[in-house]
Amino acid sequence: MSTANYTGVTKVIFDIVKKFCNVNQAYVLGAAHSKNSGYVTKSDCSGFTGQFINKISEMAGVRPVIGDSFPTSTNYANSKYTQKVTGAFPPPNPKDLIKPGDIFVMSKSSPNGYGHVGVFMGYNSAGQPLIAHSTTRKVDGSTTIGNLGTTGVRVEVIPSWYNKRWMGVYRLNNMNEIAKKLES
C-alpha cells in the first residue's frame, strides 16, 4: 500500500506501522514488552502497541506517556494515560472523531483469557475503519499491509467479529502534543 495519499501525522503513522509490518512477522505472547525504539521481529499486541507509542513519542521528542513499562491490552481502557473517545462499534465515521494513532481495546475472551489492543489507522476509501495490530491470525491476502502467510503485525479493515469483545477507542493523554510536533 502506498502512503502517497496520506499527509502529515497520518503519513508518519502509516510509515512507522509499515516498518513494523515489514519486520514483525511473528506473534509471540509476552515478547517485546521491553522498551525498544527499534522494530522487533517478534511481538504480541500490547508489545507492538507499546513500541508504536514509544516510537511516535521518540520521533516527536515527547516523553512517552505510558511510563517505563507497557500496559497490557485491557489496561489501556482503565489507564491514567488514556481517555475514551468512543465505545461505538464499528468506530463512527466522521473522520474527525477518531484519529490515526488512537488505541482500540477489546476485552478478555474469558476470565483467564487475554484482551487485545492495537492502533486505529483511519478509514479506507470505502469508509471502513482500518486497524494495525499484532495478531495470531496468519495473513491470508485480505489485509491492507502485511506479509502473506505470517502472523504478527498487519493493517486491515477491522473484523466484524470484534464487536463481541469491543471496549472502545482511547486516546493517549499527550497524543495532541505528539501530533502537533510530528506535523511540524
Side-chain angles (χ1 to χ4, degrees):
M1 173 184 188
S2 169
T3 57
N5 295 334
Y6 298 101
T7 60
V9 175
T10 302
K11 182 173 180 357
V12 171
I13 288 171
F14 263 95
D15 288 345
I16 291 170
V17 170
K18 277 175 62 174
K19 289 177 183 174
F20 274 110
C21 290
N22 290 337
V23 172
N24 186 297
Q25 297 182 21
Y27 180 99
V28 176
L29 184 63
H33 278 194
S34 61
K35 288 254 180 188
N36 182 337
S37 63
Y39 298 90
V40 298
T41 58
K42 297 179 180 179
S43 185
D44 67 3
C45 61
S46 55
F48 158 69
T49 304
Q51 287 179 58
F52 167 81
I53 291 167
N54 221 28
K55 182 57 86 178
I56 62 169
S57 296
E58 176 186 306
M59 290 177 73
V62 175
R63 182 169 165 74
V65 71
I66 58 176
D68 293 331
S69 61
F70 299 147
T72 57
S73 53
T74 54
N75 288 346
Y76 281 95
N78 304 311
S79 174
K80 64 183 178 183
Y81 307 121
T82 62
Q83 54 190 313
K84 191 171 195 170
V85 177
T86 183
F89 186 90
N93 185 358
K95 296 177 182 176
D96 58 349
L97 175 63
I98 305 168
K99 302 192 182 313
D102 286 344
I103 308 299
F104 76 85
V105 180
M106 293 172 50
S107 65
K108 292 180 177 184
S109 57
S110 66
N112 296 326
Y114 297 97
H116 191 53
V117 64
V119 179
F120 180 76
M121 298 297 292
Y123 300 86
N124 65 14
S125 59
Q128 298 168 302
L130 296 172
I131 58 170
H133 58 143
S134 187
T135 177
T136 57
R137 288 187 313 132
K138 290 192 175 189
V139 176
D140 61 8
S142 62
T143 61
T144 304
I145 304 172
N147 295 298
L148 198 61
T150 64
T151 64
V153 178
R154 90 248 343 247
V155 175
E156 63 188 330
V157 172
I158 193 167
S160 60
W161 57 269
Y162 275 25
N163 186 33
K164 296 175 188 170
R165 295 172 43 207
W166 191 252
M167 292 179 71
V169 176
Y170 297 79
R171 183 163 298 142
L172 295 172
N173 292 339
N174 67 348
M175 187 49 130
N176 290 334
E177 178 185 3
I178 290 169
K180 283 180 188 174
K181 291 195 175 191
L182 290 176
E183 283 182 344
S184 56

